[in-house]
Amino acid sequence: MKGSRALLKMLEDRNVEYVFGYPGATVIPIYDEFIDSSVRHVLVRHEQCAAHMADAYARASGIPGVCLSTSGPGVTNLVTGIATAYADSSPMIALTGQVGTGSLGMGAFQEIDAYSLMMPVTKHNYRVLTPDKLPHILEEAWDICQTGRPGPVHIDLPVDQLSADIDDSLLTAPYGIKPVKEDTSRIPDAVKLIREAQKPVIIVGGGVIGGNASKEIIRLAEMTNTSVVTPLMGVGAIPWDHPLYLGPLGMHGKLGALDAFSHADLIIAIGTRFSDRTYSPHTAPGENCKVVHIDIDATEFGKSNRDAVNILCDAKKGTQMLIDALSGYTDGHTKWDQTVSDYRKRCCCDQKTDAYPINPKRVMYEINQIINDDMIITTDVGQNQMWAMHYLHISKPRQFISSGSMGTMGFGLPSALGAKAAKPDKTVMTIVGDGGLQMVIQELATSVAENLPVVICLLNNGWLGMVRQHQKFFWNKRYSGVELGDDPDFCMIAKAYGAVGIPVEKPGEIKDALKEAVDCGKTCIVDIKTDCEADMVPMIPGKMSQDIFRDGCCY
């Protein structure tokens, strides 16, 4: 069996449905095998978007996504997308073509050291230098990308190895990886802190969603009557309307969540990493606050700079162990419960504004009127992302997909296509700005050609809105490099690609436009002209010397 056939056979055996990629000379052996394979190839228009699609496929389904590029510039174009998946712990296999082994290091056409290039942005990295190693490598890569803290694994494939013969029996040989280290010995210490706490708060991140631990989180919160906050990556871990959910924390989170978190005497952190956007001088609790931290990755421990009980295991197992050990728990923090309830009541933003030009809050209001459990929302990065995080009614895990740690502009559209591939029966909507959309607008062709229809809710204000907002608040309104100028007619571009375009200029037009976009069954841009002066507030500065910007906040 040829190496290329062995590769496809092993993907088929793992029920891989899609490979998102772009061909080139070094991967033609693989593309030849696609013709007779059950694996469907999705031809992207830029390799970065192949990685974003594979990433979002994994986030929506919980199954590793697979992307593929040729050597040289194909590899370099993948890097941003792979780094995005790595930063957000998304399981993915990245396959790259490479010049033949005899040409390595010779400066051959489209040669680049992909192995070294991918090292900082992958969980593990391989180069196939002996054809019989391919089955072992793919088996390990498949397990590694999902085991422990998930992440992308890269396999570099010299073209001669793809064309070489492989012993068929190697495809089913037993291989394995080392078990993930765990340490749950401090569960009793964690239970003691929880029982003694007078002002506890639970914060849950992307590790809860990736670890399928939402049910356990809700059970823990309910049995201890403890309020829950989430960073961006944890949105959907608990329903938006659950009485114990205070909303998202972060630079543009809910001020009620911020108040609860900063006044807590115990933080129960599960599958989250105390990033700078959620854990800043304005949000950090007092120095006497204790932390119980459950995480599968020990490198995340210690970032809270507070006395901590660390439990090294996955979110689902660790949370269930707490639940079991807390049997008979009685709520001893009723005064705090009332305080937190007041925080929640005060944080009730009025989104239904008739302001003209359109305030994006109104767009979020209208999306909330149509959102349901059969809809997935993805976002780009910037103000559009923060409005979505702050206002949307997200009820389920894997319903909200966004680029967190990397903050990758251009993520919105390709992530929607990956999510649609993973969940073809669901409506997929992406919320984007005119800056991010223009980085990847060519993927409209992929959407139409591959029959992956999505709704593109475009908040079109003619500016790079989040950078503009920073310059407005922190740089005395000295705007530089942020006005996009003469944006194209996005509706005409949509139609040129065979998609649908619906222009919206007045608040009263939003509802019908969104409904038409969802009902039409085709890829559709809803081009909503929004107010460039509408700021995403609150905005929490990184320094205590600066006040929180809350102009227009209800809180």
Side-chain angles (χ1 to χ4, degrees), residues 402-421:
S402 193
S403 170
S405 186
M406 277 294 286
T408 306
M409 285 183 68
F411 182 79
L413 175 55
S415 67
L417 301 186
K420 184 65 176 179

Side-chain angles (χ1 to χ4, degrees), residues 432-439 458-463 484 487 490:
V432 303
D434 41 335
L437 179 60
Q438 289 185 87
M439 290 184 169
L458 171 59
L459 306 181
N460 181 358
N461 67 4
W463 294 73
L484 291 169
D487 267 345
F490 290 100

Side-chain angles (χ1 to χ4, degrees), residues 97-137:
Q98 183 57 276
V99 301
T101 53
S103 298
L104 289 171
M106 304 294 288
F109 178 69
Q110 291 192 334
E111 180 191 0
I112 195 165
D113 185 359
Y115 184 87
S116 297
L117 188 68
M118 294 292 186
M119 189 76 74
V121 295
T122 53
K123 187 178 177 184
H124 205 68
N125 208 355
Y126 295 96
R127 175 175 285 164
V128 180
L129 296 176
T130 304
D132 285 350
K133 289 288 187 182
L134 176 58
H136 187 181
I137 286 172

Side-chain angles (χ1 to χ4, degrees), residues 462-482:
W463 294 73
L464 300 177
M466 186 57 81
V467 183
R468 182 187 192 277
Q469 183 171 322
H470 276 256
Q471 291 175 344
K472 179 179 181 179
F473 287 169
F474 304 121
W475 294 89
N476 198 31
K477 298 184 180 180
R478 291 170 59 84
Y479 301 126
S480 176
V482 288

Side-chain angles (χ1 to χ4, degrees), residues 17-18 20 40 56-57 60-61 63 374-376 416-428 450-454 518 521:
E17 297 179 291
Y18 292 90
F20 305 92
R40 176 180 167 187
Y57 180 95
S61 67
I63 301 168
D374 289 323
M375 180 178 285
I376 294 173
L417 301 186
K420 184 65 176 179
K423 299 292 180 180
D425 295 333
K426 292 185 180 291
T427 298
V428 179
E450 300 289 345
N451 192 27
L452 297 170
V454 297
V518 169

Side-chain angles (χ1 to χ4, degrees), residues 268-517:
I268 306 168
I270 305 174
T272 190
R273 60 188 190 85
F274 292 98
S275 76
D276 60 306
R277 288 302 171 104
T278 55
Y279 197 73
S280 68
H282 278 282
T283 61
E287 292 184 0
N288 293 325
C289 180
K290 302 290 194 298
V291 171
V292 171
H293 195 174
I294 299 174
D295 206 285
I296 194 64
D297 185 357
T299 65
E300 298 300 341
F301 295 147
K303 293 183 178 180
S304 67
N305 293 317
R306 299 292 184 272
D307 289 341
V309 170
N310 298 321
I311 299 166
L312 182 63
C313 67
D314 69 79
K316 190 179 187 73
K317 178 177 180 178
T319 307
Q320 186 59 55
M321 291 181 74
L322 285 182
I323 291 169
D324 294 342
L326 283 164
S327 178
Y329 176 91
T330 56
D331 182 359
H333 44 77
T334 53
K335 184 177 179 181
W336 174 244
D337 296 342
Q338 183 58 54
T339 299
V340 171
S341 177
D342 291 342
Y343 291 155
R344 186 180 297 106
K345 291 175 182 177
R346 286 169 58 194
C347 200
C348 52
C349 306
D350 179 16
Q351 300 164 258
K352 193 176 182 180
T353 168
D354 290 323
Y356 178 83
I358 295 170
N359 189 307
K361 290 194 295 185
R362 175 63 182 269
V363 182
M364 300 305 116
Y365 171 84
E366 298 296 353
I367 293 173
N368 281 334
Q369 307 314 302
I370 62 173
I371 197 171
N372 56 43
D373 289 350
D374 289 323
M375 180 178 285
I376 294 173
I377 302 289
T378 81
T379 79
D380 213 277
V381 166
Q383 288 177 318
N384 59 86
Q385 176 188 38
M386 294 297 101
W387 271 305
M389 176 196 76
H390 192 101
Y391 291 109
L392 289 188
H393 296 170
I394 304 298
S395 298
K396 298 180 68 176
R398 304 188 187 278
Q399 188 181 15
F400 182 81
I401 297 172
S402 193
S403 170
S405 186
M406 277 294 286
T408 306
M409 285 183 68
F411 182 79
L413 175 55
S415 67
L417 301 186
K420 184 65 176 179
K423 299 292 180 180
D425 295 333
K426 292 185 180 291
T427 298
V428 179
M429 176 184 292
T430 187
I431 299 171
V432 303
D434 41 335
L437 179 60
Q438 289 185 87
M439 290 184 169
V440 294
I441 199 166
Q442 74 281 346
E443 298 308 323
L444 287 171
T446 305
S447 180
V448 173
E450 300 289 345
N451 192 27
L452 297 170
V454 297
V455 176
I456 302 158
C457 179
L458 171 59
L459 306 181
N460 181 358
N461 67 4
W463 294 73
L464 300 177
M466 186 57 81
V467 183
R468 182 187 192 277
Q469 183 171 322
H470 276 256
Q471 291 175 344
K472 179 179 181 179
F473 287 169
F474 304 121
W475 294 89
N476 198 31
K477 298 184 180 180
R478 291 170 59 84
Y479 301 126
S480 176
V482 288
E483 186 173 9
L484 291 169
D486 293 328
D487 267 345
D489 185 325
F490 290 100
C491 292
M492 289 185 67
I493 288 178
K495 292 172 184 176
Y497 277 110
V500 177
I502 304 173
V504 173
E505 294 189 356
K506 299 177 181 178
E509 299 170 350
I510 302 171
K511 178 180 178 180
D512 289 343
L514 290 174
K515 185 178 186 303
E516 180 181 347

Side-chain angles (χ1 to χ4, degrees), residues 134-351:
L134 176 58
H136 187 181
I137 286 172
L138 187 60
E139 172 82 8
E140 278 195 357
W142 189 258
D143 289 343
I144 288 171
C145 78
Q146 303 175 78
T147 305
R149 182 174 183 168
V153 176
H154 168 238
I155 305 175
D156 199 34
L157 299 161
V159 64
D160 57 324
Q161 306 301 300
L162 293 172
S163 300
D165 290 322
I166 291 178
D167 183 348
D168 294 15
S169 65
L170 295 175
L171 273 64
T172 54
Y175 304 110
I177 61 174
K178 294 179 180 179
V180 175
K181 291 182 179 179
E182 294 184 348
D183 183 357
T184 59
S185 61
R186 299 203 67 187
I187 287 286
D189 297 327
V191 169
K192 183 175 184 293
L193 289 180
I194 293 170
R195 290 189 186 277
E196 294 175 350
Q198 294 301 302
K199 296 188 289 184
V201 170
I202 299 171
I203 179 171
V204 298
V208 168
I209 293 174
N212 300 314
S214 291
K215 289 182 179 178
E216 289 76 11
I217 293 297
I218 294 170
R219 174 67 182 130
L220 176 65
E222 291 175 346
M223 75 177 294
T224 60
N225 200 33
T226 301
S227 291
V228 180
V229 301
T230 63
L232 171 73
M233 296 304 297
V235 171
I238 181 170
W240 70 275
D241 56 353
H242 192 286
L244 289 172
Y245 184 46
L246 287 171
L249 192 67
M251 181 177 281
H252 300 279
K254 299 276 190 179
L255 290 176
L258 183 154
D259 268 351
F261 192 81
S262 61
H263 288 95
D265 67 357
L266 177 67
I267 301 297
I268 306 168
I270 305 174
T272 190
R273 60 188 190 85
F274 292 98
S275 76
D276 60 306
R277 288 302 171 104
T278 55
Y279 197 73
S280 68
H282 278 282
T283 61
E287 292 184 0
N288 293 325
C289 180
K290 302 290 194 298
V291 171
V292 171
H293 195 174
I294 299 174
D295 206 285
I296 194 64
D297 185 357
T299 65
E300 298 300 341
F301 295 147
K303 293 183 178 180
S304 67
N305 293 317
R306 299 292 184 272
D307 289 341
V309 170
N310 298 321
I311 299 166
L312 182 63
C313 67
D314 69 79
K316 190 179 187 73
K317 178 177 180 178
T319 307
Q320 186 59 55
M321 291 181 74
L322 285 182
I323 291 169
D324 294 342
L326 283 164
S327 178
Y329 176 91
T330 56
D331 182 359
H333 44 77
T334 53
K335 184 177 179 181
W336 174 244
D337 296 342
Q338 183 58 54
T339 299
V340 171
S341 177
D342 291 342
Y343 291 155
R344 186 180 297 106
K345 291 175 182 177
R346 286 169 58 194
C347 200
C348 52
C349 306
D350 179 16
Q351 300 164 258

